[in-house]
Amino acid sequence: MRRLLALSLSALSLLSPQVSAAREAPPPPPAAADVLLPPAPPWLGALDALYDRRIRVAGLEDRRFSPEHWWNLAGRLATRAGGFDTRVIGRGAEGRPLQHVSWGRGDTRVLLWSQMHGDESTASMAIADLFRLLGEHPRHPLVQRLRRGTTLHLLPIVNPDGAARFQRRNAQGIDINRDARALASPEGRALHDLRERLEPHFGFNLHDQDVGTRVGDSSRGTAIALLAPPYNVAREVDDSRARAIEVSVAIRAVLEPYIAGYIARWDDTFNPRAFGDLTAQAGVSTILIESGGIEGDLQKQRLRKLNFLALAGALDAIATGTHAGLPRAAYEQLPENGRDWADLRIAGGTLALPGKAPARVDLLVEFEDALLERGGMILEIGDLADSQARRTIDASGLYIVPVAGEGADGNTEHRKIARHAPAYFHLSRDPQGRHIVWTLARDVDPDRRVPRAD
Ligand SMILES: [Zn+2]
């Protein structure tokens, strides 16, 4: 059978060399250098400097904040005098208000929403900064262009109950971004109804993604991923999606000087339950911005600024129409989000459990907060030499021993070291745990990130 196939293929190649050549050697995708990436906007350097001095809103240095705290800061900036109008358009499942903020006098309507996953706060911080730019710098040329060219509609913190707990889902346990079709959540309905009423030309769906995600097949972590979501399963590109791709290129042009090589494209499989996809299906040119992670940027303050600059670039391109004709290839050639690396690998230790034979193992640990290394869980135990992690601790010559904890009856017992158990263990020079050089008690001690050298 295989031989027959080979024969018929070689016969085909004799008959039709062009077809055969095309099959054997598909044209390679053009290298990144082949694409003429549009230059960064001329105002970028000045806006960057102004941001540090007079735009970054104080009080959002910690990316965990309550919705009330955010509105207390940002709501104060969205004044009538500054051209803002704010209305309550709904309530979360626990009654927290959902507020729609509008600004601008232009014909092009843009709807932006953030934090529909309550623990994804980067863009909400940037929106507070955007309010300050728009409200306190009315004569800034960029602000004047946006006021003339666009009317901005914002629904910040779509999931206030989730944000109050810094959790993904709403108070009913619903993932709002899988509720765009069913509309079972009050937050999903509010966003849907607002979109139907406004009929925006552009939509911005603002999220945070897993910090472990790599860019393509590289070892670089994705700082920001972009997507012009598809409106159908075939992932076709109509005029509306083409405009979203152009705006994505405008965003890439802003980000490239800061994070070249750390920008990826989100997977564009159509999801009929997701807001981005269904908004695109409604004919809105939709752009997804996913903030991932930058190592050392523990509170995502660098990413917050990049979000602000990216939104400024995107909105300016929309206000002035300069997105038209930007090369689609500069979007299409972004590598997709690739593998997801674990947060921490303990390499080459010896597991020493009381009463059990010692065993040479590696451990993989995943944290609830990957950047701060808090809330650890043991992902896997065994030979993990082929697994990649964002950080590795060399435990060769060390024993992995249990941490003493208090049992239900008040007696001392040992925390389990097991797959999917909370991550509690010591690294010790001896199997009895007398000479401890490093401890993980769910959270990594920021003052002792690596084992003591003594
Ligand atoms: Zn999300």
Side-chain angles (χ1 to χ4, degrees):
M1 187 66 190
R2 185 160 293 181
R3 176 176 292 237
L4 192 66
L5 186 67
L7 276 172
S8 63
L9 276 177
S10 68
L12 182 69
S13 70
L14 280 172
L15 287 170
S16 172
Q18 300 92 334
V19 168
S20 160
R23 288 219 175 131
E24 281 162 17
D34 292 352
V35 171
L36 200 57
L37 187 67
W43 45 257
L44 183 59
L47 186 66
D48 178 316
L50 185 67
Y51 179 88
D52 293 335
R53 285 184 289 117
R54 293 184 54 203
I55 292 177
R56 182 190 291 267
V57 175
L60 294 170
E61 292 75 25
D62 188 329
R63 64 190 149 86
R64 284 181 184 234
F65 47 80
S66 69
E68 293 78 16
H69 177 75
W70 189 92
W71 280 106
N72 191 30
L73 293 170
R76 203 158 35 198
L77 298 165
T79 60
R80 287 210 158 267
F84 292 91
D85 183 68
T86 303
R87 286 155 204 247
V88 174
I89 57 158
R91 299 206 169 257
E94 289 183 338
R96 289 187 176 86
L98 303 170
Q99 303 191 69
H100 164 213
V101 180
S102 54
W103 179 94
R105 299 176 196 151
D107 291 335
T108 305
R109 295 180 298 280
V110 185
L111 175 61
L112 306 94
W113 63 95
S114 73
Q115 217 170 338
M116 71 166 40
H117 293 138
D119 56 351
E120 301 177 4
S121 64
T122 306
S124 296
M125 297 190 284
I127 287 174
D129 301 331
L130 183 64
F131 284 2
R132 187 160 180 211
L133 169 72
L134 301 176
E136 293 188 3
H137 302 269
R139 293 180 189 285
H140 192 288
L142 172 63
V143 176
Q144 292 184 337
R145 290 197 296 276
L146 297 187
R147 190 188 298 107
R148 271 198 308 271
T150 67
T151 300
L152 306 181
H153 297 275
L154 299 106
L155 187 58
I157 316 186
V158 175
N159 180 4
D161 301 337
R165 299 168 174 83
F166 209 65
Q167 71 179 27
R168 179 180 178 88
R169 290 163 185 262
N170 81 347
Q172 301 161 307
I174 293 173
D175 182 336
I176 298 171
N177 206 24
R178 299 292 175 270
D179 189 37
R181 182 175 58 194
L183 298 176
S185 67
E187 300 90 349
R189 284 195 294 276
L191 176 57
H192 169 268
D193 293 353
L194 183 64
R195 195 259 297 150
E196 286 222 311
R197 176 159 64 79
L198 296 172
E199 296 186 338
H201 301 92
F202 289 89
F204 285 83
N205 185 18
L206 306 171
H207 289 258
D208 284 57
Q209 70 171 20
D210 200 313
V211 171
T213 307
R214 303 295 99 181
V215 173
D217 57 7
S218 80
S219 60
R220 295 184 303 277
T222 301
I224 287 185
L226 303 171
L227 175 70
Y231 61 91
N232 64 7
V233 175
R235 299 182 280 188
E236 289 169 287
V237 178
D238 62 357
D239 288 350
S240 174
R241 191 174 180 207
R243 282 190 289 276
I245 290 174
E246 290 169 350
V247 171
S248 302
V249 173
I251 292 175
R252 183 180 172 191
V254 168
L255 295 179
E256 197 78 4
Y258 299 93
I259 49 170
Y262 293 83
I263 309 168
R265 203 157 39 86
W266 183 267
D267 165 47
D268 76 341
T269 307
F270 180 72
N271 183 336
R273 300 185 297 156
F275 265 97
D277 305 50
L278 290 199
T279 305
Q281 199 170 58
V284 182
S285 298
T286 305
I287 298 103
L288 168 73
I289 302 179
E290 291 269 359
S291 297
I294 296 174
E295 296 300 335
D297 184 24
L298 302 184
Q299 294 294 347
K300 298 201 176 187
Q301 296 294 310
R302 281 191 66 198
L303 275 174
R304 165 189 178 179
K305 179 176 177 175
L306 292 176
N307 265 252
F308 169 82
L309 295 172
L311 287 176
L315 295 174
D316 193 32
I318 289 170
T320 56
T322 48
H323 60 82
L326 291 179
R328 245 164 71 176
Y331 166 82
E332 285 156 357
Q333 285 183 358
L334 285 171
E336 279 202 6
N337 270 332
R339 291 160 300 167
D340 194 4
W341 283 12
D343 295 322
L344 178 64
R345 187 164 66 105
I346 307 294
T350 299
L351 185 63
L353 299 175
K356 300 205 170 72
R360 156 76 178 72
V361 298
D362 308 308
L363 296 182
L364 282 184
V365 176
E366 190 83 344
F367 293 99
E368 279 168 21
D369 191 318
L371 290 165
L372 291 169
E373 299 189 316
R374 287 186 192 153
M377 190 263 293
I378 297 175
L379 202 58
E380 192 52 275
I381 300 180
D383 174 0
L384 305 170
D386 299 326
S387 297
Q388 303 273 21
R390 292 174 43 241
R391 187 160 89 88
T392 295
I393 289 180
D394 178 8
S396 50
L398 298 174
Y399 292 88
I400 303 165
V401 301
V403 170
E406 197 173 297
D409 53 3
N411 294 329
T412 299
E413 59 179 39
H414 287 117
R415 299 274 193 182
K416 252 173 47 178
I417 301 178
R419 189 163 177 259
H420 294 168
Y424 288 94
F425 55 85
H426 298 296
L427 297 180
S428 170
R429 297 210 178 278
D430 62 305
Q432 294 80 27
R434 295 195 194 102
H435 191 164
I436 290 163
V437 294
W438 192 73
T439 297
L440 176 57
R442 293 214 73 198
D443 304 344
V444 170
D445 179 351
D447 296 327
R448 186 160 296 168
R449 294 188 70 231
V450 295
R452 274 204 313 266
D454 60 347

